[in-house]
């Protein structure tokens, strides 16, 4: 049997890199996270607007679910999960439509990496829960429900026995989740924004070695 011919990549490979701040797939028009990124403008996380500001209006995504934003930068946006596993469950995503983690640009990666630990620390301060999970799913088989890259930051209360197992199973797409309590969401989001600002200011004021 003759050897197979040498591999030749398709003529359109590699694909052109995504352009910063743009959506890369047609379905981004119906993506709920793209809608959030389009509605809520960026603000300085170290000096967030007051909760009464129209740029934080949770109803801005109507007729979809209310959105409680806790961070909004040029390349990222973070908000309370509408089906939280625990109090303070956050989603952090790229502002532009990136289906999977492998689709984000280097500058988006930098910004996501900068704010993951900041949001984690802010959740501890806002909720008093000192342990948490960071989960990032890629594709339907990996329990990714919305095809727009996002991190889950999930405060992990101290659960015992079977409740711990149910929590973990639900976190990976198996089990029942409850809707966000909007009466609790507004003050919680405000507390997280304040904690983010405090952390960023402390980092800025920390003397360099």
């Amino acid at each position: 049997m003759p050897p197979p011919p040498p591999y030749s990549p398709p003529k359109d490979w590699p694909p052109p890199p995504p352009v910063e701040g743009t959506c890369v797939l047609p379905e981004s028009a119906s993506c709920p996270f793209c809608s959030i990124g389009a509605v809520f403008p960026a603000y300085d996380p170290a000096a967030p607007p007051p909760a009464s500001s129209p740029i934080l209006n949770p109803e801005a995504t109507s007729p979809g679910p209310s959105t409680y934003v806790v961070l909004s930068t040029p390349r990222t946006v973070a908000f309370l999960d509408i089906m939280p596993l625990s109090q303070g469950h956050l989603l952090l995503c790229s502002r532009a439509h990136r289906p999977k983690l492998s689709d984000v640009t280097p500058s988006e990666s930098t910004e996501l990496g900068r704010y993951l630990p900041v949001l984690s620390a802010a959740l501890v301060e806002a909720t008093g829960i000192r342990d948490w999970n960071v989960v990032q799913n890629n594709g339907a088989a990996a329990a990714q429900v919305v095809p727009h890259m996002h991190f889950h930051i999930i405060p992990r209360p101290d659960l015992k026995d079977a409740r711990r197992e149910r929590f973990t199973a639900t976190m990976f797409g198996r089990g029942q989740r409850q809707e966000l309590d909007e009466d609790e969401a507004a003050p919680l989001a405000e507390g997280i924004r304040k904690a983010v600002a405090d952390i960023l200011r402390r980092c800025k004021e920390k003397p360099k070695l």
Side-chain angles (χ1 to χ4, degrees):
M1 179 180 296
Y7 172 74
S8 297
K11 292 181 180 180
D12 58 352
W13 185 265
V19 178
E20 288 288 355
T22 63
C23 295
V24 296
L25 291 180
E27 54 263 38
S28 64
S30 60
C31 171
F33 294 174
C34 281
S35 297
I36 292 170
V39 166
F40 293 96
Y43 63 78
D44 181 0
S52 59
S53 171
I55 72 171
L56 292 176
N57 179 12
E59 304 299 324
T61 44
S62 178
S66 299
T67 303
Y68 295 87
V69 168
V70 299
L71 178 82
S72 188
T73 73
R75 295 184 178 90
T76 65
V77 61
F79 44 93
L80 294 177
D81 194 311
I82 62 171
M83 299 287 286
L85 280 166
S86 61
Q87 182 190 33
H89 181 168
L90 293 180
L91 302 181
L92 170 65
C93 67
S94 58
R95 184 176 292 275
H97 190 74
R98 310 290 183 230
K100 296 182 178 181
L101 184 59
S102 53
D103 297 312
V104 301
T105 65
S107 55
E108 288 167 342
S109 297
T110 298
E111 202 157 299
L112 290 163
R114 178 187 181 194
Y115 287 112
L116 266 175
V118 172
L119 288 167
S120 297
L123 274 179
V124 173
E125 293 191 10
T127 66
I129 302 173
R130 301 189 62 82
D131 298 318
W132 68 95
N133 291 96
V134 175
V135 179
Q136 203 281 311
N137 304 322
N138 293 278
Q144 183 183 13
V145 176
V146 178
H148 182 132
M149 189 287 309
H150 57 284
F151 289 88
H152 294 260
I153 309 174
I154 310 169
R156 190 71 182 252
D158 187 16
L159 301 176
K160 304 296 183 183
D161 305 324
R163 289 189 301 161
R164 181 187 297 271
E165 296 178 9
R166 286 197 299 270
F167 188 102
T168 301
T170 307
M171 183 167 59
F172 289 99
R174 303 183 303 277
Q176 200 71 23
R177 295 168 63 172
Q178 296 181 340
E179 293 184 4
L180 178 66
D181 185 327
E182 295 196 2
D183 291 335
E184 296 178 358
L188 177 59
E190 185 175 12
I192 296 170
R193 287 192 299 269
K194 182 179 182 301
V196 167
D198 290 344
I199 291 165
L200 292 175
R201 285 195 292 266
R202 290 199 300 267
C203 290
K204 189 175 181 179
E205 294 167 359
K206 186 177 181 180
K208 297 181 180 180
L209 298 178

